[in-house]
Amino acid sequence: MMWKSLLTCSLLLLLTIKSTLSYYVLVDAHSEECYFEKLTSGTKLLLTFEVIEGGFLDIDVRITGPDQKEVFRGDRESSGKTTFSAHMDGTYTLCFSNRMSTMTPKMVMFEIDIGDSPKLDMNTAGGSDNVTLHHNKLEELVAELSASLNNIKHEQEFMEVRERIHRAINDNTNSRVVMWSCFEAFILLAMAFGQVYYLKRFFEVRRVV
């Protein structure tokens, strides 16, 4: 009996795992990159994004529906997360725009989580109602567990990206400090040699023939 329950939970977990798509995209200056996703009405979609490289780490984000209705819009966003339910069947468009940048490309990391399509009520009459109710509750619990695992996965990935960004900033700052220190040392040595040479010439006794 216990093995049957474990097998049922495993099958439900596999069935309720969301479709997760992860991308890295380079958006050139004065350009826009768009992606398309076909959804059925009522399907939930979660978008998580972060600019990991380029300029001031900002990007314009826009999601439009099949009827060209704007579902989400963000201007000069560095990172963000949004969830929406498809209001109609069709192809939804996700665009990252870097048109405000004059010469700097932007590297964007984003993930798309697509939830399950809405299920029709397939309950049958009689004694099977209790079994169906039990399975529905079990499916809801497994779906919540799956969503929690996906959120933990996303947070770990974005923490890794942030750590990489901060490490790159620290390395860049360290290299600038080293270069400036070397430049200061060179200036000090040049000034010291210049002063010695000037004083030597100043006190030099010139013989008149």
Side-chain angles (χ1 to χ4, degrees), residues 2 34 72 90 128 133 135 171 198:
M2 183 178 68
C34 294
F72 172 79
S128 62
L133 181 62
H135 281 294
D171 292 341
Y198 178 76

Side-chain angles (χ1 to χ4, degrees), residues 2 5 9 21-22 28 43 51 54 59 64 67 78 85 124 136 138-139 149-150 163 170 185:
M2 183 178 68
S5 300
C9 290
L21 306 174
S22 302
D28 292 326
T43 301
V51 184
I59 200 78
T64 55
D67 54 354
S78 296
S85 297
T124 57
N136 290 340
L138 187 59
E139 286 183 4
L149 291 175
N150 278 326
E163 189 272 335
N170 291 335

Side-chain angles (χ1 to χ4, degrees), residues 40 88 192:
T40 57
M88 62 182 298

Side-chain angles (χ1 to χ4, degrees), residues 181-194:
S181 300
C182 293
F183 178 73
E184 286 184 333
F186 175 77
I187 294 297
L188 290 174
L189 289 175
M191 291 177 61
F193 281 113

Side-chain angles (χ1 to χ4, degrees), residues 4 11 14 22 25 59 100 129 131 142-143 158 177 182-183:
K4 289 183 179 180
L11 290 174
L14 290 175
S22 302
V25 58
I59 200 78
M100 72 288 199
D129 289 342
V131 177
V142 175
F158 280 102
V177 170
C182 293
F183 178 73

Side-chain angles (χ1 to χ4, degrees), residues 72-88:
F72 172 79
R73 182 183 183 88
D75 295 328
R76 295 183 179 273
E77 300 280 350
S78 296
S79 62
K81 180 187 295 186
T82 181
T83 306
F84 70 92
S85 297
H87 59 277
M88 62 182 298

Side-chain angles (χ1 to χ4, degrees), residues 2 56 152:
M2 183 178 68
F56 294 103
I152 293 173

